[in-house]
Amino acid sequence: EELLPEIARSLERAYDVRIVISNPTLETARFYGRFDRQKQSIYDILNILSSTGRMQYEIKGDVVVLK
């Protein structure tokens, strides 16, 4: 049960990427779940988050844009 900006900061540190939240409504979005960074790639986690239908993502080089 974390806010998306907190999740984004954790993912940035764990996967050495930059994450930009381009949709202001996502600043207060909460997501529930647990991720295993040892077994899941950044793509796995982003796909799980986007499968909720609450957000989409786009990867531009080493920047992940959440929209």
Side-chain angles (χ1 to χ4, degrees), residues 3 33 43-44 46 52:
L3 289 169
Y43 303 106
D44 294 333
L46 291 170
T52 65

Side-chain angles (χ1 to χ4, degrees), residues 40-54:
Q40 293 174 299
S41 71
I42 184 76
Y43 303 106
D44 294 333
I45 295 171
L46 291 170
N47 285 331
I48 291 168
L49 290 172
S50 66
S51 74
T52 65
R54 297 174 64 195

Side-chain angles (χ1 to χ4, degrees), residues 12-62:
E12 285 178 325
R13 285 190 302 271
Y15 293 100
D16 195 28
V17 295
R18 183 167 167 247
I19 298 178
V20 176
I21 299 174
S22 67
N23 181 345
T25 61
L26 292 175
E27 295 289 336
T28 58
R30 288 190 180 273
F31 289 86
Y32 302 85
R34 189 169 293 250
F35 301 113
D36 185 346
R37 293 179 185 103
Q38 303 296 325
K39 296 180 182 176
Q40 293 174 299
S41 71
I42 184 76
Y43 303 106
D44 294 333
I45 295 171
L46 291 170
N47 285 331
I48 291 168
L49 290 172
S50 66
S51 74
T52 65
R54 297 174 64 195
M55 59 152 268
Q56 296 176 337
Y57 71 92
E58 181 178 357
I59 299 174
K60 297 179 180 180
D62 64 345

